[in-house]
Amino acid sequence: MRINRLGRTGTLGGVLSFVLSMGTLASGANELIKKADYYASLYNWVEAGPLFAQAERLFADAGDKRNELYARLGRVRGRMETLNLPQTSLELAAILEDPIVQGDDRLKLQCLLVKGDIDHEIDPAAARKDWEEVQALAKKLGDKKWENRASGELGFIAFLDGDTGAAQKLVGTALMIAKFGGDTGAELRYMTAVGTGLVLAGYKQEAVPYLDGALQLAEKNPDTGFPFLTYWGKVKALSSLGQREEAEKLADIALNQARASGKKVKEAQMLVARGKLVMEADKDDEAIDLFQQSIVLSEAGGFRRLLAEAQLNLSEINRKRGDLAQAEQFGNAAFQSSQSAGDIYFLPSQLSNLAQLKVQRGQFAEAEGLYARATDVVEGVMVNVPSIQAKSALISAMSNIYVAHFTLALNQLKNPEKAFQILEGARGRTIADIIRSSPLKQSTQRSFEGAKAVEREISQLQILLPTVNKPSERTELLDRLFIAEQSLAQTPDHTNRLLKTKTQSQPVPLKTLQQSLKPDELVLEYVLNDPESTCLVVSRDQVKAVTLASRKEIENLVDGYLADIKSKKPVLETGKKLHELLLGELPRPLKQRLIVVPDGKLHLLPFDALVNPQGRYALEAHFITYSPSATVYHLLRTASLPGSTPFPYLGVGDVPYGKDLAKSQGGKPVQQAGITRGIYDLQNSPLNPLMASRDEILAAATIAGKKSVVLLNEEATESAFKSQPLEKYGVLHLAVHGISNPKMPDRAALVLLSDPSSNEDGLLQAREISGLNLSAKLVVLSACDTAVGRLQGQEGVANLARAFLFAGAKTVVATLWSVDDEFSVTLMKRFYRNLAAGQDKAAALRNAKRAILTEFGEKTVPYYWAGFSLIGQGDIAITKPRSSQARRATR
């Protein structure tokens, strides 16, 4: 009995021991899962993967099937870069059908997260389905973190699908929510995505602060692990900026880290990045070795996107070496890899590469077909962009494809009409689409109210900026400002007018343009390229393509010429050289009226200050106006003109900047001589009063007539300007300070008086101007640098003048540099007198400049008169109203 008792006791003790051991196993496994989930939430799979693997073994020993599977899924995600991704995706699809998973939403969510990450690398369509399910399931579970992250991942997939507008919205919103929700992992991921997206769109300088911010965030939070994607984005940005040595150092660090941690996808990615760097340094043999290493890894792992990139680079190297057969083989392989990966955004570049190979082989018809396919894909992508900014970025990124297609049509196919159509399909595209949609302006104005709350937040932040001197506080405010701007871009109604134009827009046919030209008019459409540039010369009865010097030679001369002008130096010799390069080879005689469609840095060049062989400025023989494209010029000319507007003129000037400066900096502003109408930053900028602006505004108002309205001194607030019935004015004239911002053109602004009680910061910015509802025949921006901005390839230049064209203005007079206050008022008084005398807009401006040259003689260097340029419709006179004293507006 005693033995039996002992036996029973021993058996019971064994059971208890087993139960206790199972409890210990479960407890240990749960702790491991908790820690693994923490690292996984930071996207640190190097740390999370092994923890999931340990937990999986413990749960298996404990007989806990559910948690064993949960841990197994985490382990798979941690080892993702060592696996065959297509096979793993199929296995995960089978797991999703397991009854255990079907009955457990949390387990199902874990499986979908892992599958979504894997499918993102191999099949965007499948990944979209995964992340849509994640989003719905997270919403059902009340998991805000994964609901938001799913939106961000869907943004990545939208980008690959070519829907850049949706990508911007989804990723921007995900970043904003992550930042304010304390989701460090997602903030790092989406901040990196914003920076990398800017690099891919060609905005490398703007990308660097976001990538640096992501690197700093990773450094502050070491548990996030090594930020491979951020390093990759920074390497691409530095390479684009020509900082190859620094880019190589970062690439080597990331490549070594990827190899040490067994991250095969990241290793393949950094091999491509490193290969691109040595390729740019003309070390082709080394580049080939790196690309081939990446191909081996990508083929083994099923990394189709990286495979396509490596193959494309090998195609380019072989094309450069003259091995066209090998180049075409790699080019076709790259296209197939991109197509199978569903990367629509990158397909145009792949097709363009194949087209270039066909050109080199002399197979021009085949090349034409490939370029046509490439531009068709771009057009398809463009249908999905819902904002001005996204469409401009897309056209800018794809500009080289249009230029190469233009060159083929002109030089090889000998078809100038086709070449014109190709070029005009991209030139000034966004403005053309906006003009076509002008009947929708009223609905835009009403719908814009939906963005008011975010606009107020932006205004409040910008009111604070000039008062902050500590770099850390200023950085924080700028970060908040960026997030608010992203939020504004996400407001569905904010871009309502452009959303309505989701049809393929056709450029003006060449013959239609010719028929609309007057006998004395000539369109000069420039295309800057290397090794040679082109000017398409279009008149009523002739089209001629003239070959010009290389882009590099022309733009180097423009840089030197503009530097001399801004230094107030005579520019006769450089002016002669540029005249010879740009106008000297054109067919003679040149018409009196020249409509210049510029390209590249020609957007910044005053053609009327070029000097002919006889030493005379071009404006003495020609009326010179500018247009973003021939299509835009034609649309502005043929669009139904506004009738007689109730109010002829609204003028804004004599802004008491000293009052605002004293408020923001707690003291009295210092008055300075030689005042110009421009500032370049919001921090401690000297906003000196523009004393001559009052005379300028009143002189123009007196000529305009009794119904004219002026906002002067303390009435010149942003809120007072916006509260006017702007659509009822025929002429708007703003004589104020201006802010040029080529890096972030939406922040370029005209500086009025702030009105904190109305939540207006005094900065009438480009993004706000674009949403106004105007019918003005003429807008005069008598402020600095209003025609200066970011060059965006065939899209043109993003500046304040363009914003007013978006808003509905027919003509904008804008400035190419910091104009002198006293000379501005002299020029403007003459300009308005000429308008009142019945001269058309182009003639009125040209004759005002000639009068200054006549009055002040040779001492009047171009700095003082050539900075004003006329963009848009210049051949229409503004009817002279009955002259009477203007009235003052009341607030």
Side-chain angles (χ1 to χ4, degrees):
M1 295 287 294
R2 186 174 295 176
I3 294 174
N4 286 339
R5 281 195 205 102
L6 285 172
R8 292 193 194 102
T9 303
T11 302
L12 182 60
V15 171
L16 290 172
S17 175
F18 175 77
V19 170
L20 289 172
S21 68
M22 291 301 101
T24 302
L25 284 172
S27 176
N30 285 328
E31 284 301 313
L32 286 170
I33 284 290
K34 184 178 179 181
K35 196 171 182 181
D37 279 339
Y38 164 72
Y39 282 114
S41 74
L42 295 172
Y43 298 98
N44 184 352
W45 291 102
V46 172
E47 296 292 338
L51 293 170
F52 278 121
Q54 292 178 52
E56 181 185 7
R57 290 192 294 271
L58 291 177
F59 283 127
D61 290 343
D64 187 340
K65 296 295 185 184
R66 185 268 180 199
N67 285 323
E68 178 190 353
L69 180 54
Y70 182 92
R72 176 187 164 195
L73 292 167
R75 188 251 304 165
V76 168
R77 177 59 184 84
R79 294 185 57 232
M80 177 181 119
E81 303 195 37
T82 67
L83 303 173
N84 181 290
L85 298 187
Q87 181 60 39
T88 305
S89 177
L90 290 174
E91 292 170 1
L92 290 168
I95 290 172
L96 277 169
E97 299 302 318
D98 190 310
I100 296 177
V101 176
Q102 287 295 316
D104 188 325
D105 284 344
R106 277 290 167 189
L107 193 57
K108 186 177 182 181
L109 182 67
Q110 175 80 338
C111 191
L112 285 167
L113 295 175
V114 177
K115 189 172 184 294
D117 279 348
I118 288 173
D119 285 345
H120 179 80
E121 297 296 331
I122 60 172
D123 187 350
R128 182 189 300 104
K129 182 175 180 294
D130 298 335
W131 287 107
E132 285 172 349
E133 288 191 52
V134 167
Q135 192 173 46
L137 194 54
K139 187 173 184 179
K140 175 184 174 183
L141 293 169
D143 190 331
K144 297 296 184 183
K145 181 182 79 173
W146 277 111
E147 187 180 351
N148 179 55
R149 288 185 177 197
S151 291
E153 301 306 311
L154 288 168
F156 292 160
I157 296 162
F159 178 81
L160 295 175
D161 284 345
D163 192 346
T164 54
Q168 178 187 359
K169 288 182 179 182
L170 292 168
V171 175
T173 301
L175 172 60
M176 178 177 64
I177 293 172
K179 186 176 181 69
F180 291 111
D183 186 354
T184 302
E187 182 184 356
L188 175 59
R189 184 170 175 82
Y190 301 129
M191 189 182 296
T192 295
V194 169
T196 304
L198 287 169
V199 175
L200 293 174
Y203 304 146
K204 51 265 185 188
Q205 288 182 322
E206 296 87 324
V208 171
Y210 300 113
L211 295 167
D212 284 343
L215 289 172
Q216 291 165 10
L217 184 63
E219 187 177 355
K220 289 178 183 176
N221 298 273
D223 285 349
T224 56
F226 189 86
F228 287 102
L229 289 176
T230 314
Y231 266 71
W232 179 73
K234 183 74 180 287
V235 167
K236 290 184 79 70
L238 292 173
S239 174
S240 299
L241 291 167
Q243 300 175 32
R244 189 177 299 119
E245 186 176 344
E246 187 178 349
E248 287 178 353
K249 289 179 182 177
L250 290 180
D252 286 339
I253 290 170
L255 181 56
N256 291 334
Q257 186 69 30
R259 285 170 170 163
S261 57
K263 307 282 279 184
K264 299 300 183 183
V265 172
K266 302 303 184 293
E267 183 181 353
Q269 189 175 48
M270 295 315 302
L271 282 167
V272 171
R274 190 71 176 85
K276 284 283 286 184
L277 291 171
V278 297
M279 180 178 162
E280 290 165 4
D282 293 323
K283 300 176 182 178
D284 288 348
D285 289 336
E286 185 180 348
I288 288 171
D289 179 59
L290 290 165
F291 293 137
Q292 287 177 337
Q293 288 183 55
S294 180
I295 285 174
V296 170
L297 289 171
S298 298
E299 286 180 335
F303 315 147
R304 296 172 190 166
R305 197 169 305 121
L306 294 172
L307 182 62
E309 191 173 359
Q311 290 165 334
L312 178 62
N313 287 317
L314 286 173
S315 177
E316 290 178 0
I317 289 175
N318 282 285
R319 179 162 57 85
K320 185 171 66 173
R321 288 181 162 187
D323 189 345
L324 300 185
Q326 189 77 347
E328 195 161 1
Q329 181 180 336
F330 278 116
N332 282 317
F335 175 73
Q336 293 299 327
S337 296
S338 277
Q339 198 169 38
S340 64
D343 289 355
I344 294 175
Y345 183 84
F346 296 105
L347 284 180
S349 298
Q350 306 281 6
L351 289 164
S352 178
N353 173 64
L354 291 173
Q356 290 175 56
L357 289 168
K358 295 295 185 184
V359 170
Q360 285 185 254
R361 285 178 174 273
Q363 298 170 346
F364 302 136
E366 291 91 334
E368 158 60 24
L370 288 164
Y371 276 130
R373 284 177 66 188
T375 51
D376 283 347
V377 174
V378 175
E379 289 292 336
V381 171
M382 217 176 293
V383 167
N384 292 316
V385 294
S387 71
I388 290 169
Q389 297 87 345
K391 181 171 280 194
S392 294
L394 178 63
I395 295 168
S396 178
M398 301 295 178
S399 286
N400 288 339
I401 296 172
Y402 286 91
V403 173
H405 194 187
F406 163 86
T407 303
L408 169 71
L410 185 66
N411 295 340
Q412 279 78 39
L413 302 181
K414 308 298 182 184
N415 190 338
E417 185 172 353
K418 185 175 189 63
F420 174 83
Q421 291 294 113
I422 291 164
L423 190 65
E424 284 288 314
R427 282 262 164 113
R429 174 62 178 272
T430 309
I431 296 179
D433 287 348
I434 289 288
I435 294 171
R436 288 187 181 98
S437 65
S438 58
L440 299 166
K441 286 189 294 183
Q442 291 290 346
S443 65
T444 299
Q445 188 70 11
R446 291 193 298 270
S447 66
F448 192 67
E449 297 297 319
K452 287 292 185 182
V454 187
E455 289 278 16
R456 283 194 294 272
E457 182 185 358
I458 290 172
S459 294
Q460 289 163 0
L461 289 169
Q462 291 181 150
I463 288 169
L464 283 174
L465 270 172
T467 71
V468 174
N469 293 315
K470 287 181 67 174
S472 59
E473 293 177 1
R474 185 169 172 78
T475 298
E476 182 183 351
L477 282 178
L478 287 170
D479 286 345
R480 289 173 59 192
L481 180 59
F482 167 75
I483 296 298
E485 288 171 333
Q486 290 298 306
S487 176
L488 185 63
Q490 316 323 319
T491 306
D493 288 343
H494 185 55
T495 53
N496 187 54
R497 179 163 34 138
L498 194 53
L499 280 168
K500 301 270 187 193
T501 62
K502 289 192 172 184
T503 55
Q504 184 168 335
S505 302
Q506 295 296 328
V508 58
L510 182 57
K511 285 184 170 50
T512 302
L513 174 68
Q514 289 181 275
Q515 291 167 2
S516 72
L517 293 176
K518 297 176 181 178
D520 64 343
E521 290 182 325
L522 204 61
V523 172
L524 305 180
E525 183 140 8
Y526 288 90
V527 183
L528 299 188
N529 203 5
D530 289 314
E532 61 185 32
S533 302
T534 304
C535 180
L536 275 182
V537 184
V538 183
S539 66
R540 279 185 66 88
D541 51 13
Q542 187 181 26
V543 179
K544 184 174 178 60
V546 179
T547 300
L548 306 176
S550 70
R551 181 187 196 107
K552 183 177 181 181
E553 182 180 353
I554 291 171
E555 293 198 330
N556 283 343
L557 268 175
V558 170
D559 285 340
Y561 179 77
L562 291 173
D564 286 345
I565 282 185
K566 293 172 186 179
S567 299
K568 304 178 184 178
K569 296 178 182 177
V571 288
L572 290 178
E573 290 308 310
T574 316
K576 282 183 179 180
K577 289 179 183 177
L578 279 169
H579 187 283
E580 181 182 354
L581 285 179
L582 299 173
L583 300 174
E585 298 299 320
L586 304 189
R588 293 300 192 266
L590 284 180
K591 305 286 187 181
Q592 187 178 37
R593 291 181 179 270
L594 304 181
I595 299 126
V596 175
V597 180
D599 188 22
K601 291 183 180 179
L602 297 185
H603 283 283
L604 311 177
L605 180 70
F607 275 69
D608 54 4
L610 301 184
V611 183
N612 69 19
Q614 292 73 43
R616 311 292 291 179
Y617 290 118
L619 94 157
E620 299 194 45
H622 304 287
F623 301 84
I624 300 176
T625 60
Y626 305 86
S627 179
S629 71
T631 299
V632 168
Y633 184 79
H634 177 75
L635 289 171
L636 288 172
R637 166 171 279 181
T638 57
S640 56
L641 292 172
S644 177
T645 49
F647 304 114
Y649 171 90
L650 172 63
V652 183
D654 192 28
V655 181
Y657 294 113
K659 180 177 179 180
D660 260 13
L661 190 65
K663 278 182 182 178
S664 66
Q665 297 186 348
K668 294 182 179 180
V670 178
Q671 302 300 315
Q672 297 180 0
I675 293 171
T676 58
R677 298 180 177 186
I679 61 174
Y680 297 91
D681 186 25
L682 296 177
Q683 186 179 23
N684 300 321
S685 300
L687 294 178
N688 299 287
L690 301 173
M691 304 306 295
S693 68
R694 183 183 184 88
D695 288 344
E696 180 178 324
I697 294 298
L698 290 175
T702 300
I703 293 169
K706 64 181 180 179
K707 289 187 177 181
S708 296
V709 176
V710 295
L711 299 173
L712 298 173
N713 204 269
E714 293 195 7
E715 293 176 350
T717 64
E718 183 184 4
S719 56
F721 176 79
K722 287 180 176 178
S723 67
Q724 290 291 318
L726 297 175
E727 72 281 2
K728 295 182 179 180
Y729 287 99
V731 177
L732 301 177
H733 187 112
L734 295 100
V736 296
H737 276 301
I739 299 174
S740 170
N741 197 331
K743 288 187 176 182
M744 301 193 76
D746 276 353
R747 291 184 184 176
L750 299 170
V751 187
L752 308 181
L753 195 64
S754 66
D755 187 1
S757 64
S758 300
N759 288 306
E760 296 288 5
D761 51 25
L763 299 175
L764 183 62
Q765 293 182 302
R767 58 179 170 74
E768 298 174 282
I769 294 165
S770 297
L772 298 176
N773 183 25
L774 304 182
S775 299
K777 299 174 185 175
L778 173 66
V779 172
V780 179
L781 305 179
S782 189
C784 290
D785 299 303
T786 50
V788 176
R790 175 195 283 160
L791 297 176
Q792 296 184 306
Q794 298 310 305
E795 171 69 353
V797 57
N799 54 28
L800 289 167
R802 185 177 79 150
F804 276 97
L805 290 173
F806 283 155
K810 295 294 182 290
T811 306
V812 180
V813 173
T815 57
L816 291 165
W817 51 75
S818 299
V819 294
D820 181 87
D821 192 36
E822 292 293 339
F823 269 87
S824 293
V825 68
T826 302
L827 180 70
M828 285 295 113
K829 284 181 177 179
R830 294 179 186 275
F831 174 56
Y832 278 99
R833 280 196 214 109
N834 293 340
L835 288 174
Q839 295 180 21
D840 64 58
K841 291 171 278 190
L845 183 60
R846 176 251 199 174
N847 291 336
K849 293 178 179 180
R850 288 187 69 188
I852 286 181
L853 280 171
T854 300
E855 181 176 346
F856 296 99
E858 293 181 0
K859 292 182 180 179
T860 315
V861 293
Y863 168 81
Y864 291 104
W865 55 267
F868 286 91
S869 60
L870 190 148
I871 304 162
Q873 185 187 46
D875 62 324
I876 301 297
I878 295 177
T879 305
K880 178 184 175 183
R882 296 174 182 174
S883 179
S884 183
Q885 184 63 41
R887 66 184 175 89
R888 294 285 294 278
T890 56
R891 291 175 60 189

